[in-house]
Each structure stands twice: as structure tokens, then as C-alpha cells.
Amino acid sequence: MKRLIAYSLIATIIFSLTVGSTPALSQGKAAGLPTAKPEEVGMSSERLARIHTGMQRYVDKGLVPGVVTMVARRGKVVYLDSVGYRDAESKAPMTNDTIFRIASMTKPIASVALMMLYEEGHFLLNDPIAKFLPEFKDMKVAVPASGDDRIGVPYKLVPAARPITFKHVLTHTAGFANSYRGITLPDFTKTVQMGRKPNDTIGDAVKRLATLPLNFHPGDAWEYGNATDVVGRLVEVISGMTLDEYVQKKIFEPLKMTDTHFFLPQSKLTRFAAVYQPDEKNNNKIKLLEAPTAESRFVKEPHVYFSGAGGMVSTAADYVRFHQMMLNGGELDGARILGRKTVELMTANHTGNLPIWLTGPGYGFGLGYRVLTDVGQAAVPSSVGEYGWGGAFCTYFWVDPQEEMIGIMMTQVIPYTHINIRQEFQVLANQAIVDRANRDR
């Protein structure tokens, strides 16, 4: 009997190493989806192992504290691995169920929430958002002042050429003032960011945003910013629920996403990751920015500000369930969130040839997602139609419908533009595909 138990334990460990994880993965708990050997879905175990080596290299160089990586194909997790530390100061190891600040990876969830209301017939994409948010009626656009204007005036105002629509806020083409760039950036900092009070709601912030002029006429350009906060506010006004209540009831509970929150319960602090920043005085090696304590703004009260643009925390296991739902055409394990045609609509390019400056060439933008339109221009080993996004703390995901594949990478470093860990992870995952193309199977 003891020999049988020993053989069983060895088999469990071997299976877990094949998918790059701990024995818990064989039970399905840490994976989020069913698991499979890579070879069962056209991938190479040997090649997938390169992900571990690549991620460990970043940890060894002191550029990131630790990393969780996941690859799923055809509805099965084939690789799940954690390296380094969740909290480098306490030497708490990174684990597959570590909870991360996902920042802008909140945006697809908020966008799906709004499109669920679209499916109920509340609005059309070309409807003005002023139908529900009257503060955005009759917007003005800031344009550079000319020599004829009063000295010292940074810009002058002209009426917006067209109203802001639902499509504009979902595609980042509304022209909102933002914290990245644009002629109204100082006004955004003063009015929206510095004007925030401790008990403010997202509705308060959106109303302040509406007092500022736009950077350009709606639809004329792509400009990343906090448009998805407006998306989240639209969800609240249309549904009559807070964004937190809506996503919990309509998305997280049906999809069994038990570790995704706007504010992390203190009971889960033992799985919360610390955040780091590069130390420019020490070869960009990391230094602590925020410890994973109850004082984190993602934990402490008041729990009233629900940012659709970047307020959530989650795990790789939860996040893969959300995007397996999308990859399945809106359904997972019997829970129908969206219709297939709505998923197709969301993941199509809606921005034409507008430059998507944050991604570079080869991409367009859908309803909450960047969309790959030209593999050669983007210079990534992926497929036309692949969609995804990332978060400010260096989290990242993509979904490739042609390959029926999802990749997720989670770490916590801000800023991260000095490293290529996200792009390298995508290369390492895709080079492990070894079967023939779909058209040949």
C-alpha cells in the first residue's frame, strides 16, 4: 500500500512539473481551467520550459521580484509556473495563487460589463453617452492659441464636431483629458487627480472630467487614458448598481472568479504581492514601493471608488477564466456572459488606421482591447485578430482565437518600460506551438 501511495505521489509530481507548477495544479484548483499535457494540445513541454528560464533570468538580475506565467490552449492549462518572491523583503515565495494589482487589465472586464447592457438593448454604440451622462453634452475642444489670442492663454475652445458616443469611450477615441499627454494635461492633474477627495466615488471623478475640454474632436484620434472610468460609470447609471456590485453579480459569481476584487479582503493579505519600482541608482534593480499590507490603497477603506480603468486585483487562475469565456464566444462552464456576435464585435478593429501610439504599428483597437491587425508591422509571433492588453504594474495577457490560446504574465514593477519581460514571455509561449496550422488539421 505504501509503495502504491509513493508511486501515485511521484506521478502527481511529474505531471505538475510538465505543466510548470506545483502538485496543486493536478487538482485543478490553482489552474482556473482543466489541465493537460502540452503535447495533447499541440505544444512542446521542452519548449515551454524555456519560459521558466526566461522569467528566472529577470528575477536573478534583480529586475523583478517574482513572476507567475500561464499558458492555456483549447480550454486547457498546459503551463503554470511561479518563480521568485511575492514579497522580496520577507522572502515570501511567489505562488500560483498570488494576488496582483492588475491595473488596466480591469478595462476589458468593465468593457464587457457595459456590453452586457448593450445586449439588453439599453443603447447602441453610436448613441451619445450624454443620453445617460448629461454632463457630457455640448463638449468643447481645446485647440492651440494663435497669435491673435490673448497672451498667456494655453489654448482656446471650439465646439466639439460631434457628440461623444459609447463607441468613443470604449475605443479611447473620445478625446478626454488625461494624465499621459495632450494640451489639457495640467488641467487634468489639477481638476481630476488633485481634486479627488477621500470619499469620492467614480461618479464624482467623471463629473470633474466632464468640466474639462477635450484634446481633440471625438473620433479623430486614439488617446489612451481614463475613458474606461466613464465606461464603468455608464454601467452604474444604466444598471442602477455600483460597478463593484454589477461585476460581482453578473461576471465574477457566474464565472467563479473568487479572487478578483476592487478591494482585497484582509483575509487574503497572505497572498497579496508587494509592488516594486526600479532603482535608477542601482542598475534598475528593484526597490520596494508598496508593501502588501492592510495600508495598501487596494485594501483599506473607504471602499467606494470603483475604477473601471484600473482598480482591480486578481490571480492568473481567475483571469484565465474570464478570457476563456471570451475565447469560447461568451460562455464558460454553462455560464453565458455574452453572445458570440458581441464577442466578435468587441474584438474587431474599430479604429481603422488611427495610430495606436501605446502599442506601436500593427495594431488597432476594439471595444476594450487592442487588436493585432498586421503581424509583420507588430513584429510579434502571433496571429491577426489576437487581442489583449496589460497593466501599469507589469501584468499582461493576450488571447489568440486562431491558435485557441491564452497567455498571462503577472509581476509587480512600475514603471517597467526599461525591460522587455512581457514581450519576451509572448515569444517564449508562442515558440512552443509545434502542431500544424488550423487550416491543415
Side-chain angles (χ1 to χ4, degrees):
M1 184 65 177
K2 290 182 179 180
R3 181 177 297 178
L4 180 61
I5 294 173
Y7 284 155
S8 176
L9 178 60
I10 290 171
T12 299
I13 294 173
I14 291 173
F15 174 76
S16 301
L17 290 174
T18 300
V19 293
S21 184
T22 65
L25 179 57
S26 65
Q27 302 168 5
K29 181 176 177 56
L33 294 173
T35 60
K37 293 181 179 180
E39 285 71 19
E40 294 174 2
V41 295
M43 301 191 77
S44 163
S45 299
E46 181 181 0
R47 284 177 167 267
L48 279 171
R50 296 175 181 178
I51 298 175
H52 177 92
T53 302
M55 299 300 103
Q56 186 67 53
R57 188 182 303 125
Y58 276 94
V59 173
D60 292 343
K61 289 181 178 179
L63 297 172
V64 301
V67 192
V68 171
T69 46
M70 174 185 283
V71 178
R73 198 174 191 211
R74 299 176 196 156
K76 305 290 181 64
V77 172
V78 296
Y79 186 88
L80 175 58
D81 186 39
S82 50
V83 299
Y85 298 106
R86 171 182 62 79
D87 180 352
E89 278 62 41
S90 68
K91 301 301 180 186
M94 186 67 78
T95 56
N96 295 340
D97 63 351
T98 293
I99 299 172
F100 299 86
R101 304 155 189 81
I102 62 171
S104 288
M105 281 167 56
T106 303
K107 288 180 170 72
I109 297 174
S111 299
V112 164
L114 185 57
M115 293 305 289
M116 293 171 73
L117 294 167
Y118 166 83
E119 288 193 328
E120 293 179 4
H122 292 285
F123 62 89
L124 297 175
L125 290 180
N126 290 326
D127 284 348
I129 64 170
K131 178 179 178 180
F132 296 97
L133 300 176
E135 57 265 39
F136 287 103
K137 187 178 181 181
D138 300 324
M139 294 295 290
K140 299 293 191 296
V141 177
V143 297
S146 67
D148 296 330
D149 294 309
R150 182 165 59 86
I151 295 174
V153 175
Y155 53 75
K156 62 181 180 180
L157 301 179
V158 299
R162 57 195 69 90
I164 300 170
T165 67
F166 282 82
K167 182 175 177 178
H168 291 144
V169 296
L170 285 161
T171 58
H172 296 283
T173 58
F176 293 132
N178 62 80
S179 61
Y180 288 85
R181 50 202 265 173
I183 197 170
T184 61
L185 195 156
D187 301 297
F188 179 86
T189 302
K190 179 181 178 180
T191 302
V192 178
Q193 292 182 322
M194 296 179 63
R196 181 175 169 182
K197 299 177 178 63
N199 290 305
D200 271 1
T201 67
I202 199 64
D204 297 320
V206 166
K207 286 180 180 178
R208 289 198 300 273
L209 178 65
T211 67
L212 299 178
L214 304 176
N215 283 336
F216 51 82
H217 295 282
D220 280 3
W222 185 90
E223 184 72 272
Y224 193 61
N226 59 344
T228 320
D229 278 339
V230 181
V231 168
R233 180 57 181 158
L234 284 163
V235 170
E236 294 186 335
V237 172
I238 296 171
S239 70
M241 305 166 67
T242 67
L243 182 60
D244 181 46
E245 291 169 336
Y246 188 88
V247 295
Q248 182 66 37
K249 180 179 179 180
K250 301 291 187 176
I251 298 176
F252 299 158
E253 290 178 7
L255 293 181
K256 298 180 174 61
M257 295 171 62
T258 57
D259 284 328
T260 305
H261 310 276
F262 270 110
F263 293 95
L264 184 69
Q266 292 198 28
S267 61
K268 298 184 180 183
L269 275 173
T270 55
R271 292 192 284 132
F272 195 32
V275 176
Y276 296 83
Q277 62 184 336
D279 186 349
E280 295 180 358
K281 296 180 180 179
N282 187 22
N283 298 315
N284 281 327
K285 291 187 177 180
I286 57 171
K287 61 181 180 180
L288 183 66
L289 178 62
E290 181 184 87
T293 70
E295 291 305 305
S296 167
R297 66 183 177 90
F298 291 87
V299 181
K300 68 179 181 180
E301 300 278 357
H303 295 172
V304 295
Y305 192 87
F306 308 118
S307 170
M312 292 182 186
V313 299
S314 190
T315 61
D318 265 20
Y319 209 74
V320 78
R321 289 190 63 79
F322 181 80
H323 277 104
Q324 189 64 52
M325 174 274 294
M326 293 292 288
L327 187 55
N328 290 352
E331 179 273 338
L332 179 65
D333 294 343
R336 171 66 63 182
I337 304 299
L338 292 173
R340 177 173 63 85
K341 298 305 293 184
T342 303
V343 173
E344 292 173 2
L345 178 65
M346 292 188 69
T347 56
N349 177 28
H350 287 254
T351 56
N353 294 320
L354 292 178
I356 311 299
W357 59 263
L358 196 56
T359 62
Y363 291 96
F365 212 86
L367 308 180
Y369 296 91
R370 64 114 174 99
V371 181
L372 182 60
T373 58
D374 188 315
V375 171
Q377 285 289 311
V380 294
S382 196
S383 311
V384 170
E386 174 246 280
Y387 55 93
W389 201 239
F393 299 104
C394 201
T395 56
Y396 185 65
F397 80 96
W398 79 91
V399 181
D400 187 336
Q402 286 195 38
E403 296 295 344
E404 303 174 73
M405 185 168 165
I406 303 169
I408 297 172
M409 191 217 77
M410 303 270 202
T411 188
Q412 300 277 259
V413 177
I414 183 172
Y416 58 85
T417 51
H418 59 295
I419 57 177
N420 293 323
I421 189 170
R422 305 196 317 178
Q423 302 93 316
E424 289 177 13
F425 167 61
Q426 189 166 8
V427 171
L428 291 167
N430 280 316
Q431 61 83 37
I433 299 172
V434 294
D435 61 354
R436 302 182 70 184
N438 289 338
R439 63 180 178 273
D440 296 327
R441 286 207 302 269

